[in-house]
């Protein structure tokens, strides 16, 4: 066993053999900024001040050769070859809860078909999980030897009361993990998962109107956050702009329409980008960012924006928000990053989004 000292906290933790620095930190209640968890995105990049590490499966685009030479590594991929000291770029987040990551056993209660490409896994946990709305779990895929990240789609109070979580899984063509979950997994089977992970949560202390922008199965986190807010009696203006290609892919539509009818402060804006003309669809047409701009013609100043979905959608929404006078400090994102996204260039202008 080795130890890692984390600066600027000055905290030293134990790290098991072959355990990554990120996993050790999260399990001991220390948050290191991260996103994909698999060495693809570079969000968890840290500076090694002293000691030796094995970089593991860090993608060469997420951790370039010159960065390795400069002593940088990815916390989600690196393992220790000695005691080390690292420096982490941390932000103070007053609304963040400190929740150590834990392992859970679960039984598949039922599998619900939401759309032709998305299924909901309803999992009964052996014990209750505590999480902030917007966080995710890593689900171990049987027989694959790997895990996949899925956002929790139900509210924390519901999950606590029922020891159950809901995960929305979009079948990715050629994806071994999602193909297994869609085509092989059956109700009654046992699964393993760990969590909670992530820093995607509502900044409630800001007391500002909120706009949630989601696409595809990226609805999971916003659904959890909105259900949590409304369940706690939040009276601030809340808007959900949710995009899909067609009506058959638009799920939980009735639920959000019912919530909007019950809560005067909640507005629901569904948008379809590829719905056939003459289908009878009366809602917005186009992409999420286009529907958001149309709904807020005077811009987005004075809001907090939460974006969740595939990277192209998130990037388009960031551009629309900034053109609408919303700054980086008020935009929070959760991108679904796959191996295919690893080569994409991130803008050097923005630190967080």
């Amino acid at each position: 066993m080795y130890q890692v000292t984390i600066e600027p906290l000055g905290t030293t933790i134990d790290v098991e053999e072959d355990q990554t620095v990120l996993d050790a930190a999260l399990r001991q209640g220390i948050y290191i900024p991260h996103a994909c968890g698999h060495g693809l995105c570079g969000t968890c990049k840290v500076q090694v001040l002293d000691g030796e590490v094995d970089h593991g499966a860090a993608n060469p685009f997420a951790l370039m050769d010159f960065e390795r030479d400069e002593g940088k590594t990815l916390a989600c991929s690196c393992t220790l070859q000695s005691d080390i000291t690292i420096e982490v770029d941390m932000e103070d987040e007053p609304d963040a809860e400190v929740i150590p990551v834990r392992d859970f056993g679960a039984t598949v209660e039922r599998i619900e078909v939401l759309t032709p490409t998305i299924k909901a896994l309803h999992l009964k946990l052996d014990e209750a999980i505590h999480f902030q709305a917007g966080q995710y779990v890593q689900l171990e895929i049987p027989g694959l030897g790997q895990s996949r990240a899925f956002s929790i789609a139900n509210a924390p109070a519901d999950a606590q009361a029922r020891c159950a979580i809901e995960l929305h899984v979009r079948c990715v063509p050629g994806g071994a993990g999602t193909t297994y979950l869609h085509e092989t997994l059956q109700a009654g089977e046992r699964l393993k998962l760990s969590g909670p992970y992530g820093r995607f949560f509502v900044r409630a202390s800001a007391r500002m109107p909120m706009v949630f922008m989601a696409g595809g199965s990226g609805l999971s986190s916003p659904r959890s956050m909105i259900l949590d807010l409304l369940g706690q009696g939040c009276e601030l203006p809340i808007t959900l702009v949710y995009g899909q290609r067609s009506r058959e892919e638009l799920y939980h539509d009735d639920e959000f329409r019912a919530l909007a009818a019950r809560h005067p402060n909640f507005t629901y804006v569904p948008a379809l980008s590829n719905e056939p003309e003459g289908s009878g669809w009366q809602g917005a047409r186009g992409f999420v960012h286009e529907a958001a701009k149309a709904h807020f013609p005077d811009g987005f100043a004075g809001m907090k924006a939460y974006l969740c979905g595939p990277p192209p959608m998130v990037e388009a929404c960031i551009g629309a928000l900034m053109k609408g006078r919303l700054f980086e400090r008020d935009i929070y994102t959760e991108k679904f990053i796959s191996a295919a996204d690893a080569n994409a260039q991130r803008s050097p202008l923005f630190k967080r989004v």
Side-chain angles (χ1 to χ4, degrees):
M1 180 182 294
Y2 293 114
Q3 291 186 320
V4 55
T5 299
I6 303 172
E7 300 294 352
L9 299 178
T11 301
T12 299
I13 61 172
D14 294 328
V15 183
E16 300 287 345
E17 184 177 357
D18 296 328
Q19 183 181 29
T20 68
V21 168
L22 178 63
D23 185 66
L26 294 177
R27 289 179 182 276
Q28 295 176 67
I30 298 173
Y31 180 79
I32 294 177
H34 63 283
C36 73
H38 296 287
L40 299 176
C41 68
T43 305
C44 65
K45 197 172 297 175
V46 299
Q47 180 71 47
V48 180
L49 301 177
D50 184 55
E52 299 294 328
V53 301
D54 182 336
H55 296 296
N59 184 279
F61 289 92
L63 185 68
M64 297 187 178
D65 289 341
F66 77 88
E67 293 177 309
R68 299 171 193 237
D69 294 339
E70 291 174 350
K72 293 182 173 63
T73 193
L74 301 186
C76 74
S77 299
C78 77
T79 54
L80 304 192
Q81 296 182 319
S82 70
D83 291 346
I84 69 167
T85 300
I86 61 173
E87 184 175 40
V88 180
D89 187 8
M90 294 181 170
E91 293 183 15
D92 183 33
E93 294 280 8
D95 293 296
E97 293 187 46
V98 178
I99 309 173
V101 167
R102 298 166 54 206
D103 296 317
F104 296 87
T107 301
V108 182
E109 278 193 308
R110 61 189 176 96
I111 301 174
E112 178 185 6
V113 177
L114 297 176
T115 80
T117 61
I118 300 173
K119 290 186 177 182
L121 306 184
H122 296 267
L123 307 181
K124 185 73 171 181
L125 304 184
D126 294 343
E127 54 185 313
I129 182 172
H130 176 55
F131 66 95
Q132 280 189 275
Q135 291 190 293
Y136 66 91
V137 296
Q138 290 280 359
L139 182 67
E140 187 175 311
I141 309 299
L144 193 61
Q146 299 177 8
S147 62
R148 296 289 186 271
F150 297 103
S151 298
I152 304 173
N154 50 331
D158 172 66
Q160 281 273 320
R162 300 190 300 112
C163 291
I165 59 173
E166 178 180 339
L167 308 178
H168 297 167
V169 180
R170 182 178 70 88
C171 190
V172 178
T178 60
T179 297
Y180 177 90
L181 296 177
H182 267 251
E183 298 181 1
T184 305
L185 185 69
Q186 300 292 322
E189 291 190 31
R190 295 284 295 172
L191 295 173
K192 296 178 181 179
L193 57 92
S194 61
Y197 295 94
R199 208 70 157 181
F200 191 60
F201 57 87
V202 173
R203 273 63 179 181
S205 63
R207 301 292 301 167
M208 294 165 63
M210 291 161 274
V211 56
F212 294 87
M213 303 165 74
S217 59
L219 183 62
S220 303
S221 289
R223 179 176 184 252
S224 177
M225 297 157 93
I226 290 167
L227 291 175
D228 189 43
L229 285 165
L230 296 178
Q232 294 185 39
C234 176
E235 296 180 351
L236 293 167
I238 302 169
T239 302
L240 169 64
V241 185
Y242 174 49
Q244 277 283 18
R245 288 178 55 81
S246 62
R247 291 181 72 175
E248 66 176 358
E249 291 287 346
L250 191 68
Y251 70 97
H252 284 319
D253 183 62
D254 290 342
E255 177 185 52
F256 287 115
R257 291 182 188 275
L259 286 172
R262 291 202 308 270
H263 299 275
N265 63 315
F266 174 59
T267 302
Y268 171 52
V269 183
L272 302 180
S273 62
N274 199 37
E275 178 70 6
E277 293 294 336
S279 68
W281 172 250
Q282 300 298 313
R285 290 179 179 269
F287 296 106
V288 173
H289 68 285
E290 295 169 333
K293 287 193 296 184
H295 186 75
F296 293 102
D298 296 328
F300 304 95
M303 299 180 182
K304 288 284 188 182
Y306 301 90
L307 320 181
C308 188
M313 184 223 88
V314 170
E315 296 298 336
C317 289
I318 290 172
L321 290 167
M322 289 187 167
K323 289 179 181 177
R325 306 196 314 278
L326 198 65
F327 298 104
E328 181 190 1
R329 66 173 181 268
D330 293 319
I331 302 173
Y332 305 92
T333 69
E334 182 182 63
K335 299 177 187 178
F336 293 118
I337 299 174
S338 67
D341 301 313
N343 297 349
Q345 294 290 323
R346 290 188 75 230
S347 170
L349 300 177
F350 305 122
K351 174 181 176 183
R352 185 165 48 75
V353 301

